């Protein structure tokens, strides 16, 4: 049973544009929502993360928006660059004591030069 | 080492053979996770270790899959009687106790012929 739904599956953006990736979760027993970036042949790397007690977190060109009531969160990449071309995964961490992360299915982003 | 190390990086095996995948986490990281990434898919949770114990092994797909961790460090994922559907990238990640930042290895690409 998929507990974190991610969209779109793929995204093409012009250089300098804004990339937006959305995730929705079903289980309320999550306490931490990270985004991971993965380049081909590499493991995912933490990009930015948010806790449910805040609605927005910004780090450089990357912003997470979090809507607790709607159980949705999104990643915004401002001024997208070709080097941002990668696969992005949202995730949610469980609070049941196992600290298990449930990942979305990923979004393949391509930024055109 | 500086990061999570996985070996081998690539493994080709014949259907029905057993395989062992190894993960060396970052020194001092007590939490260790195994995930499976199939082509075009997200990260599928397999098992989580805290120290040498596995409080959550709910993601192991069948009894052909097992994992152990010794000395609170190295972990081995074993797949017995491999099947073609086991072909995937197997990722290992480690983190400090409460797992807020996962550090992933580059994975083992398993191909079952």
């Amino acid at each position: 049973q998929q507990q974190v739904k991610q969209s779109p599956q793929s995204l093409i953006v012009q250089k300098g544009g804004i990339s937006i990736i959305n995730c929705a979760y079903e289980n309320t027993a999550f306490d931490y929502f990270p985004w991971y970036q993965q380049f081909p042949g590499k493991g995912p790397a933490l990009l930015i993360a948010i806790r449910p007690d805040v609605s927005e977190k910004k780090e450089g060109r990357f912003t997470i928006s979090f809507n607790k009531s709607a159980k949705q969160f999104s990643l915004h990449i401002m001024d997208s660059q070709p080097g941002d071309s990668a696969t992005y995964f949202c995730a949610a961490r469980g609070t049941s004591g196992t600290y298990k992360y449930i990942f979305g299915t990923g979004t393949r982003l391509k930024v055109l030069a | 080492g500086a990061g999570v190390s996985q070996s081998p990086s690539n493994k080709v095996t014949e259907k029905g053979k057993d395989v062992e995948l190894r993960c060396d986490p970052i020194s001092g990281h007590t939490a260790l996770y195994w995930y499976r990434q199939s082509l075009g898919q997200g990260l599928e949770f397999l098992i989580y270790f805290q120290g040498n114990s596995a409080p959550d092994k709910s993601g192991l797909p069948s009894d052909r899959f097992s994992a152990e961790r010794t000395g609170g460090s190295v972990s081995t994922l074993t797949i017995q009687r491999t099947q073609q559907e086991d072909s995937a990238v197997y990722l290992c990640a480690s983190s400090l106790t409460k797992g807020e930042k996962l550090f992933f290895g580059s994975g083992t690409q398993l191909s079952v012929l």
Side-chain angles (χ1 to χ4, degrees), chain B residues 71-92:
Chain B
S73 180
V74 173
S75 177
T76 302
L77 177 68
T78 301
I79 308 173
Q80 295 179 310
R81 305 181 302 283
T82 52
Q83 303 296 312
Q84 289 184 333
E85 61 263 29
D86 299 333
S87 296
V89 175
Y90 289 82
L91 290 163
C92 174

Side-chain angles (χ1 to χ4, degrees), chain A residues 9 32 34 36 38 41-46 49 51 87 89 93 96-106 108, chain B residues 33 35 37 39-45 48 50 55-56 58-59 91 97-107:
Chain A
Q9 187 174 18
Y32 183 67
Y36 280 80
Q38 184 180 31
K42 303 292 186 182
L46 179 65
R51 293 187 174 279
T87 299
F89 294 95
R93 188 183 71 173
S96 60
T98 72
Y99 305 112
K100 178 170 71 178
Y101 285 80
I102 304 297
F103 283 82
T105 50
R108 182 172 293 182
Chain B
Y33 301 77
Y35 284 86
Q37 185 173 23
L39 189 62
Q41 300 297 313
L43 281 70
E44 176 189 7
F45 171 80
Y48 158 74
Q50 184 60 252
D56 192 336
S58 62
L91 290 163
T97 302
K98 292 201 172 180
E100 284 209 343
K101 182 174 181 178
L102 300 184
F103 293 81
F104 282 87
S106 294

Side-chain angles (χ1 to χ4, degrees), chain A residues 4-49:
Chain A
V4 178
K5 296 181 180 179
Q6 183 171 348
S7 63
Q9 187 174 18
S10 63
L11 182 62
I12 300 175
V13 174
Q14 293 288 337
K15 179 182 177 181
I18 302 173
S19 303
I20 301 174
I21 304 170
N22 300 298
C23 281
Y25 60 97
E26 299 169 358
N27 189 337
T28 57
F30 292 134
D31 67 349
Y32 183 67
F33 300 86
W35 285 87
Y36 280 80
Q37 179 187 55
Q38 184 180 31
F39 293 105
K42 303 292 186 182
L46 179 65
L47 186 63
I48 186 172

